[in-house]
Amino acid sequence: MSKDYKQMWSDLEINLDAHDGLLGVLSDAYTNIYLSQKNRPEGMKYFDFVISEVHGLRIEEIVEAKKQGRKVIGTFCVYVPEELILAVEGVCIGLCAGADVGTDEAEKYIPRNTCALIKAFMGFKLAGLCPYVQTADLIVGETTCDGKKKAYELFDEMMNGKVYVMEIPNKKGQDDKALWLNEVQRFSAKLEKISGKKITPEKLKEASKVVNEKRKALQRLASLRSADPSPISGLDALLVNQVAFYDDPLRFTAKVNELCDELTERLKTGKGVSAKGSPRILISGSPMAIPNWKIHAIVEGSGATIVGEESCVGERNFASLMDENFSSLNEGLQNIADRYLTINCACFTPNDERLTDIETIAKRVKADGILHYAIQFCTPYMIEATKVRKVAEKRKIPFLRIETDYSMEDMGQLKTRIEAFLEMMGKGARV
Ligand code: BJ8
């Protein structure tokens, strides 16, 4: 941290002692996992800085934005339209927590066999550890999986009524599309009410451009990883995708594009993070919220490179753009509704489009193997893994299925399984 932020944290009612402990653990993990990597692009220095200031400078910026009358909107799902939040000059923060924190406290409210992501967002609040949650004027939940849906009821009580829930349909038929459009309209009215600002077609266009440019930068990064050797590690690419959820969008986009310029230069000289021909893995499944780096650290520590994430912290977040051609607010809201329904989350049934996405991405990134990752007790992704396996078998792509939580207890066991998978995978199975 560049300075002492204790007063700011204290004003936000952060538990200072526990928070010091959390930052210490985070800093050690980052040093061991990230800073120990060899051959990192220079452009990652910005993201190292952002992480070092994750609860410092960025929170200071948000507090300052609040003083200027901007509203802070926390979200837990890539289905929440960022464009609308920006159209009322709000600050959009993706809140999903990826650390095993406050679990004991969370388990007083929700069953032990709840996914780690849900336990973490409740745990962070209960343990007084998340300054982002503390700055939020509104927290947007969604009716995706049952665990989240029910947890938001309890979370709303903890947040003194600040939780607003969007209804996400479970199917994608005509009635579902109408329901979803109505939800987008309802959310835009809610944002206008809490911000006191009107969403005009012009403001929505401006906001759509900002978010689309961010998506394009992330698409560019994803496509550069198709090279052999990849010019960037999976760990670093994951970090960029995680930072996408809370950094200032304009600054973030500029920094990702700078990084991509450097990676493009690397490709010209054939410089990469691993030797040409090293095993290439596509990750598919539940989202990996910051600071969940567990699987990437094991896979890359075992000599393979992760070249893509079919995940909401990855491709599902940036794969499709919003159509910026609209002339009325109604048309703009329709375009938002259409764009977001292209996200193929396992909470939908059927969800065969996700299988097509996995095949397409595996081909594009020249994956040698697919590792399906589900957070333990994440029923939608755990069950859908069976269909993903069938796709991998059909394409003769080696497949490994892993279910784990945020604890480090199974690191040894996972490493053994992943190493055996890489060994079995060998070469020559590339799609
Ligand atoms: S669009 S994946 S961000 S819902 S890991 S809480 S599903 S039990 S996070 Fe998600 Fe939106 Fe879908 Fe993406 Fe439930 Fe699974 Fe836990 Fe999950």
Side-chain angles (χ1 to χ4, degrees):
M1 298 266 174
S2 55
K3 63 187 216 199
D4 185 355
Y5 293 105
K6 284 221 161 48
Q7 188 56 49
M8 177 178 76
W9 294 330
S10 170
D11 294 346
L12 291 170
E13 297 175 13
I14 293 294
N15 177 338
L16 293 180
D17 286 343
H19 188 249
D20 276 354
L22 172 71
L23 291 187
V25 173
L26 185 65
S27 160
D28 289 351
Y30 197 75
T31 305
N32 291 336
I33 297 173
Y34 274 89
L35 303 183
S36 63
Q37 293 180 97
K38 297 202 169 56
N39 216 359
R40 293 180 82 207
E42 280 294 302
M44 285 310 295
K45 290 216 167 90
Y46 169 73
F47 298 93
D48 291 341
F49 173 72
V50 169
I51 291 294
S52 72
E53 291 288 335
V54 63
H55 282 189
L57 196 56
R58 183 64 182 135
I59 297 296
E60 199 172 58
E61 287 179 346
I62 293 171
V63 169
E64 195 46 45
K66 275 171 82 81
K67 282 187 194 148
Q68 289 161 13
R70 294 175 66 192
K71 296 293 174 193
V72 178
I73 314 294
T75 66
F76 285 112
C77 177
V78 294
Y79 255 88
V80 179
E82 186 176 352
E83 293 86 347
L84 290 176
I85 296 171
L86 299 190
V88 294
E89 291 164 43
V91 180
C92 180
I93 300 291
L95 285 172
C96 282
D100 199 7
V101 164
T103 304
D104 292 346
E105 280 300 305
E107 286 178 0
K108 290 180 188 160
Y109 293 82
I110 52 178
R112 291 194 72 187
N113 59 351
T114 304
C115 97
L117 195 146
I118 296 172
K119 278 190 206 168
F121 78 66
M122 291 188 100
F124 266 92
K125 173 63 190 164
L126 290 163
L129 286 170
C130 180
Y132 292 97
V133 168
Q134 298 302 101
T135 58
D137 295 292
L138 187 77
I139 292 195
V140 189
E142 8 63 49
T143 57
T144 44
C145 68
D146 287 352
K148 267 179 159 181
K149 190 157 62 188
K150 297 309 287 181
Y152 292 136
E153 293 175 20
L154 304 178
F155 201 55
D156 188 43
E157 287 171 16
M158 293 169 199
M159 292 300 302
N160 300 322
K162 283 186 184 171
V163 176
Y164 171 90
V165 175
M166 292 187 84
E167 184 164 357
I168 316 281
N170 284 174
K171 297 178 81 174
K172 293 184 181 174
Q174 283 314 313
D175 290 350
D176 309 294
K177 286 181 180 164
L179 180 152
W180 174 235
L181 174 61
N182 191 48
E183 280 302 286
V184 170
Q185 290 164 340
R186 195 173 67 93
F187 183 49
S188 96
K190 175 74 182 178
L191 288 170
E192 288 186 332
K193 191 165 172 213
I194 71 157
S195 67
K197 296 193 167 78
K198 204 99 202 99
I199 299 180
T200 62
E202 293 72 31
K203 281 188 180 167
L204 188 54
K205 263 191 189 181
E206 215 178 296
S208 309
K209 190 161 181 48
V210 170
V211 186
N212 272 347
E213 290 305 314
K214 176 160 80 165
R215 292 180 186 128
K216 283 184 207 164
L218 290 168
Q219 287 174 0
R220 196 177 158 207
L221 176 64
S223 75
L224 286 160
R225 295 167 77 190
S226 301
D228 183 13
S230 171
I232 185 167
S233 67
L235 270 166
D236 279 338
L238 173 66
L239 187 76
V240 173
N241 277 289
Q242 291 173 330
V243 170
F245 286 92
Y246 71 90
D247 198 6
D248 172 80
L250 290 174
R251 179 176 59 206
F252 174 83
T253 302
K255 291 295 175 184
V256 177
N257 278 322
E258 268 175 38
L259 173 67
C260 290
D261 291 343
E262 183 189 347
L263 300 184
T264 307
E265 284 306 308
R266 277 190 163 201
L267 290 189
K268 288 182 190 158
T269 57
K271 188 173 173 187
V273 283
S274 48
K276 191 173 166 60
S278 302
R280 304 166 65 83
I281 302 294
L282 171 65
I283 300 282
S284 170
S286 309
M288 294 171 170
I290 199 165
N292 179 5
W293 305 309
K294 188 173 169 178
I295 297 297
H296 282 57
I298 301 175
V299 171
E300 299 205 324
S302 306
T305 308
I306 292 180
V307 287
E309 291 83 16
E310 187 279 317
S311 160
C312 286
V313 182
E315 300 269 345
R316 290 200 290 270
N317 183 38
F318 58 72
S320 62
L321 301 178
M322 177 188 155
D323 182 354
E324 293 171 37
N325 290 318
F326 54 88
S327 44
S328 67
L329 185 58
N330 278 347
E331 268 177 43
L333 295 180
Q334 180 68 62
N335 289 2
I336 287 185
D338 292 345
R339 185 268 159 190
Y340 280 84
L341 265 194
T342 63
I343 301 170
N344 298 319
C345 171
C347 295
F348 283 86
T349 183
N351 191 32
D352 293 342
E353 295 92 338
R354 178 172 168 233
L355 305 177
T356 312
D357 291 345
I358 294 170
E359 280 192 85
T360 310
I361 301 168
K363 194 163 183 196
R364 191 192 75 219
V365 301
K366 306 180 195 79
D368 295 312
I370 296 176
L371 190 157
H372 194 277
Y373 162 79
I375 300 180
Q376 211 169 27
F377 309 121
C378 171
T379 317
Y381 284 92
M382 281 165 64
I383 293 181
E384 213 160 87
T386 304
K387 287 195 164 194
V388 180
R389 176 191 288 279
K390 279 189 190 151
V391 167
E393 281 171 359
K394 190 180 88 195
R395 300 291 305 242
K396 299 197 174 17
I397 311 172
F399 178 86
L400 178 67
R401 169 184 180 154
I402 280 182
E403 278 142 27
T404 183
D405 57 15
Y406 295 164
S407 81
M408 296 300 145
E409 281 165 18
D410 59 353
M411 288 284 282
Q413 200 187 31
L414 289 176
K415 192 165 169 45
T416 308
R417 285 185 63 203
I418 288 170
E419 281 174 353
F421 176 62
L422 296 177
E423 208 176 302
M424 177 277 291
M425 209 171 73
K427 297 298 297 173
R430 188 167 286 179
V431 277

